[in-house]
């Protein structure tokens, strides 16, 4: 699975006010027992543990016993880093990574960051961190190895297309990233990337909208990929740009099933524009709140991957002894009453290939434009719906038959592709067109008819199918010299 993470000190959260809980007799006796044990360990254990070590161990042990990954203890430094990250200020090297098995790949480099100054580029692979091979590690594990306090050093080994592997040593530092960035794409399509739901997110989004309106915006792509969340109110405020006043955005339920409902305030007129929202498996928390609300009201088409699935609410509670407690205190429901905790939000159009997601969003805003893909046999890039993307994928030839990558090709042409592990089957659908592929039997069902595939090819973890199969799906296939073009033909009306 391809995923992407930002090298920030961040978690998936909301902030809500809470009040100190009263302590009963049972709780007082339990606290006394913990204190007594700590006293004996501190004075008599052969390891001579320090007080800070025992306190942190006791707190973390207590929180781990709850079995909730979102409840955690912050030291004063942790809290400062955490709140700073919500405003786009964090300690790191300034890159976003995505999974590109077996190694993580650089997806974005922040300007003026340590990574930027060191010459790290998008598409670079990080193959070692401080001499340790990253193959086989999860993306989270790689992030943990790269992350560290400002002023500390980290050594990366980089693999780049066309050059020998090389090493760079970086000094981690405080890095700033705007919560919202945007640009106008061809066709007067406004593109906005929301990196985090901080205190300035909705305000800065409004500034971009004023600029886009002045330039004649006709449609919009809201990119929530890799957005780990942030303030709940920021998501509610942003929803107000797309939904009328008084619409339910989210409902929270506490341990006593007490409900709190959040509505759009109507401070700004709702934008009456075609809207596509991009999501992936690291879109979480407040990003999911906004995406789910827009989906429930059928206000937007969601494109991408299933979201993270964080449907619980945390409060940040400052402690009298210093630091803070991030405590899960509620669950939330979407406007339609859905709980997405642990299951995420399914997009309306599944596109698992990261490089195709933005292209797919533009296709959704221009539904009558031709959907095509042009491969170069020399592997010098791919053109999807007239737009060149950076994937160096080329067709393969075996025994005179041309093969193209299954998922990449179908997703580029507008199909949603699902892999069912249990039966080793692939299901692809675009409107009334459907392909059911049985990998074990090497057969396909297209339009209710069974078709033999002959042979399949696997290259770089991707499955390749003969182009003759795509012709049966209503795809026009043409070869001209070193180029192979596939175009999805319109469905004939009877």
């Amino acid at each position: 699975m391809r995923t992407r993470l930002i090298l920030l000190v961040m978690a998936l959260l909301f902030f809500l006010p809470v009040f100190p809980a009263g302590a009963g007799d049972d709780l007082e006796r339990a606290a006394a027992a913990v204190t007594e044990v700590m006293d004996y360990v501190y004075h008599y254990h052969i390891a001579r543990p320090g007080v800070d070590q025992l306190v942190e161990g006791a707190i973390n042990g207590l929180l781990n016993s709850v079995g909730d990954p979102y409840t955690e203890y912050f030291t004063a430094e942790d809290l400062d880093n955490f709140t700073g990250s919500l405003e786009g200020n964090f300690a790191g090297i300034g890159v976003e990574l995505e999974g590109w098995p077996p190694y993580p790949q650089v997806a974005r480099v922040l300007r003026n960051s340590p990574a930027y100054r060191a010459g790290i580029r998008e598409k670079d692979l990080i193959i070692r961190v401080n001499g340790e091979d990253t193959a086989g590690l999860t993306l989270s594990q790689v992030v943990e190895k790269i992350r560290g306090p400002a002023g500390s050093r980290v050594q990366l080994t980089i693999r780049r297309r066309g050059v020998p592997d090389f090493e760079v040593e970086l000094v981690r530092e405080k890095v700033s990233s705007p919560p919202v960035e945007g640009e106008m794409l061809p066709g007067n399509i406004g593109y906005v990337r929301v990196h985090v739901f901080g205190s300035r997110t909705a305000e800065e989004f409004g500034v971009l909208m004023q600029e886009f309106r002045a330039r004649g915006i006709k449609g919009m792509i809201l990119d929530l990929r890799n957005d780990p969340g942030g303030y709940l109110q920021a998501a509610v405020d942003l929803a107000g740009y797309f939904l009328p006043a008084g619409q339910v955005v989210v409902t929270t339920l506490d341990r006593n099933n007490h409900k709190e409902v959040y509505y759009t305030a109507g401070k700004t007129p709702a934008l009456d524009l075609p809207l596509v929202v991009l999501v992936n498996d690291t879109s979480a928390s407040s990003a999911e709140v906004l995406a789910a609300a827009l989906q429930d009201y059928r206000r937007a088409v969601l494109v991408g991957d299933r979201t993270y699935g964080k449907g619980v609410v945390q409060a940040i509670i400052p402690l009298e002894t210093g630091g803070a407690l991030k405590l899960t205190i509620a669950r939330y429901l979407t406007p339609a009453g859905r709980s997405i905790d642990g299951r995420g939000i399914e997009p309306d159009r599944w596109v698992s290939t990261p490089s195709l997601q933005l292209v797919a969003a533009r296709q959704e805003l221009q539904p009558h434009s031709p959907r095509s893909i042009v491969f170069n046999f020399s592997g010098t890039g791919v053109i999807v719906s007239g737009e060149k993307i950076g994937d160096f994928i080329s067709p393969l030839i075996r025994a005179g038959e041309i093969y193209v990558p299954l998922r990449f090709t179908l997703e580029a042409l507008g199909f949603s592709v699902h892999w069912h592990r249990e039966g080793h089957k692939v299901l692809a659908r675009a409107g009334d067109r459907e392909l059911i592929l049985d990998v074990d039997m090497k057969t396909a069902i297209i339009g209710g008819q069974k078709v033999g595939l002959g042979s399949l090819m696997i290259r770089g973890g991707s499955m390749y199918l003969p182009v003759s199969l795509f012709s049966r799906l209503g795809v026009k296939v043409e070869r001209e010299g070193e180029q192979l073009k596939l175009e999805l033909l319109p469905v004939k009306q009877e």
Side-chain angles (χ1 to χ4, degrees):
M1 180 185 299
R2 294 177 179 177
T3 55
R4 183 182 293 182
L5 290 177
I6 306 175
L7 299 186
L8 311 180
V9 183
M10 293 203 66
L12 313 171
L13 51 88
F14 300 122
F15 287 94
L16 291 176
V18 297
F19 302 95
D25 290 343
D26 289 345
L27 191 56
E28 290 179 357
R29 283 196 296 271
V34 172
T35 302
E36 185 177 12
V37 171
M38 287 181 63
D39 183 69
Y40 278 112
V41 173
Y42 176 75
H43 286 98
Y44 299 108
H45 195 279
I46 192 172
R48 295 179 177 270
V51 172
D52 291 343
Q53 176 186 351
L54 292 176
V55 170
E56 186 171 347
I59 292 174
N60 289 333
L62 186 153
L63 299 182
N64 289 339
S65 71
V66 179
D68 173 19
Y70 307 121
T71 291
E72 57 183 314
Y73 168 70
F74 287 152
T75 65
E77 182 180 0
D78 291 338
L79 181 60
D80 181 60
N81 289 333
F82 182 75
T83 54
S85 65
L86 286 174
E87 304 305 332
N89 302 312
F90 56 93
I93 65 171
V95 298
E96 290 181 14
L97 296 181
E98 64 181 354
W100 204 267
Y103 298 110
Q105 177 175 268
V106 175
R108 176 175 175 245
V109 182
L110 299 182
R111 295 187 68 84
N112 300 320
S113 66
Y116 180 84
R117 293 193 297 272
I120 292 177
R121 305 175 187 172
E122 293 181 7
K123 305 296 184 181
D124 283 350
L125 300 177
I126 298 178
I127 63 172
R128 284 189 289 276
V129 179
N130 292 328
E132 182 178 351
D133 197 329
T134 58
L137 298 179
T138 66
L139 197 57
S140 296
Q141 289 172 329
V142 177
V143 170
E144 287 299 319
K145 293 182 181 301
I146 295 176
R147 187 163 48 191
S152 60
R153 295 177 178 272
V154 60
Q155 188 177 69
L156 306 180
T157 304
I158 305 297
R159 177 165 295 168
R160 180 178 298 165
R161 185 183 178 92
V163 301
D165 296 347
F166 60 94
E167 293 184 351
V168 294
E169 186 174 76
L170 305 171
V171 178
R172 303 177 180 100
E173 62 183 48
K174 292 286 185 179
V175 178
S176 295
S177 175
V180 177
E181 293 181 293
E183 62 178 312
M184 189 73 84
L185 301 178
N188 284 26
I189 295 174
Y191 170 81
V192 177
R193 178 85 177 267
V194 181
H195 295 291
V196 68
F197 285 82
S199 61
R200 307 190 324 272
T201 299
E203 179 184 353
E204 294 193 15
F205 180 84
V207 172
L208 276 175
M209 287 305 99
Q210 289 180 352
E211 177 187 336
F212 287 169
R213 279 174 170 149
R215 297 173 61 182
I217 184 174
K218 294 180 179 178
M220 185 173 169
I221 299 171
L222 183 65
D223 194 345
L224 303 180
R225 292 175 297 175
N226 316 309
D227 187 325
Y231 297 116
L232 173 59
Q233 191 59 50
V236 175
D237 291 343
L238 210 56
Y241 282 97
F242 304 102
L243 301 173
Q247 299 293 299
V248 175
V249 178
V250 64
T251 300
T252 63
L253 294 171
D254 68 13
R255 60 192 284 176
N256 298 316
N257 284 327
H258 171 74
K259 290 185 178 181
E260 188 165 356
V261 184
Y262 292 79
Y263 300 91
T264 51
K267 295 179 181 178
T268 57
L271 293 167
D272 186 19
L273 293 168
L275 175 65
V276 174
V277 177
L278 285 171
V279 293
N280 65 3
D281 57 358
T282 50
S283 302
S285 191
S286 297
E288 292 178 288
V289 167
L290 178 59
L294 296 174
Q295 186 182 58
D296 280 358
Y297 288 112
R298 299 182 184 275
R299 178 60 187 86
V301 176
L302 267 60
V303 172
D305 255 332
R306 185 189 298 273
T307 63
Y308 184 87
K310 180 181 181 292
V312 289
V313 182
Q314 281 74 50
I316 297 294
I317 308 170
L319 301 175
E320 293 181 3
T321 53
L325 178 64
K326 181 162 71 73
L327 185 69
T328 299
I329 61 169
R331 301 183 183 278
Y332 75 77
L333 302 176
T334 74
R338 293 186 291 164
S339 172
I340 60 115
D341 194 41
R343 59 175 65 95
I345 305 166
E346 289 191 12
D348 301 300
R349 176 177 167 185
W350 290 78
V351 183
S352 299
T353 308
S355 61
L356 291 176
Q357 289 168 347
L358 182 56
V359 176
R362 295 177 64 176
Q363 289 176 343
E364 292 297 319
L365 290 175
Q366 300 168 324
H368 301 298
S369 298
R371 297 188 179 184
S372 63
I373 178 170
V374 178
F375 292 101
N376 286 287
F377 282 89
S378 58
T380 55
V382 181
I383 299 173
V384 178
S385 295
E387 181 178 344
K388 187 170 183 178
I389 61 176
D391 290 69
F392 296 95
I393 299 174
S394 60
L396 303 175
I397 300 178
R398 175 189 285 178
E401 179 74 83
I402 300 174
Y403 290 75
V404 293
L406 169 66
R407 179 182 291 276
F408 184 92
T409 303
L410 288 174
E411 289 186 340
L413 294 174
F415 287 79
S416 290
V417 183
H418 300 277
W419 166 250
H420 297 276
R421 295 182 181 276
E422 297 80 8
H424 286 194
K425 288 182 171 60
V426 177
L427 173 63
R429 182 180 289 116
D432 294 331
R433 308 180 212 228
E434 184 179 76
L435 164 70
I436 302 174
L437 174 66
D438 190 318
V439 177
D440 292 336
M441 301 299 295
K442 295 183 180 180
T443 59
I445 298 176
I446 301 174
Q449 295 186 341
K450 194 171 184 178
V451 180
L453 298 179
S455 61
L456 301 173
M457 295 181 66
I458 305 293
R459 289 291 186 277
S462 296
M463 183 184 302
Y464 283 67
L465 292 182
V467 292
S468 57
L469 184 72
F470 292 89
S471 300
R472 293 176 175 268
L473 280 169
V475 177
K476 182 181 179 181
V477 180
E478 294 180 310
R479 178 175 181 179
E480 184 174 339
E482 288 298 300
Q483 289 191 332
L484 178 71
K485 181 178 180 180
L486 290 82
E487 181 177 354
L488 188 67
L489 298 175
V491 177
K492 294 181 180 179
Q493 301 295 327
E494 298 290 336

